[in-house]
Amino acid sequence: MIISDKMKAVLVHYNQALSLYKSRKFAEAKEEFKKGLAIHPGDGPSKLYIERCDDYIADPPPEDWDGVYNMKTK
């Protein structure tokens, strides 16, 4: 499978953002996800993680957070 240069750029931002997210750097992660969305506005995973970053910025997870996101509504 061939990946376009555009998608490679999105993946660079996505992977950086995911690393920041897992390190609890939610504001920084959000900005990286947004950079990927600027390249590919239809990137669903980045949109989802931006929402999760917003949730964790407003209400940080506990210190023993294992990276799992617990949905608040069904």
Side-chain angles (χ1 to χ4, degrees):
M1 182 168 146
I2 297 174
I3 298 176
S4 70
D5 289 340
K6 177 180 170 180
M7 285 309 296
K8 286 179 186 176
V10 171
L11 285 171
V12 167
H13 290 294
Y14 182 84
N15 287 328
Q16 177 65 27
L18 198 55
S19 178
L20 290 164
Y21 177 88
K22 290 178 180 178
S23 296
R24 301 173 59 103
K25 297 178 181 175
F26 303 113
E28 294 172 49
K30 179 181 175 179
E31 293 308 310
E32 279 299 313
F33 285 122
K34 287 169 72 175
K35 288 177 185 176
L37 275 179
I39 298 167
H40 179 58
D43 183 33
S46 289
K47 290 178 184 178
L48 177 69
Y49 273 106
I50 287 171
E51 290 177 17
R52 291 179 179 182
C53 286
D54 285 338
D55 286 347
Y56 285 141
I57 290 167
D59 185 20
E63 288 301 317
D64 63 348
W65 180 64
D66 61 2
V68 174
Y69 182 81
N70 294 315
M71 293 180 63
K72 296 175 181 156
T73 60
K74 191 171 185 181

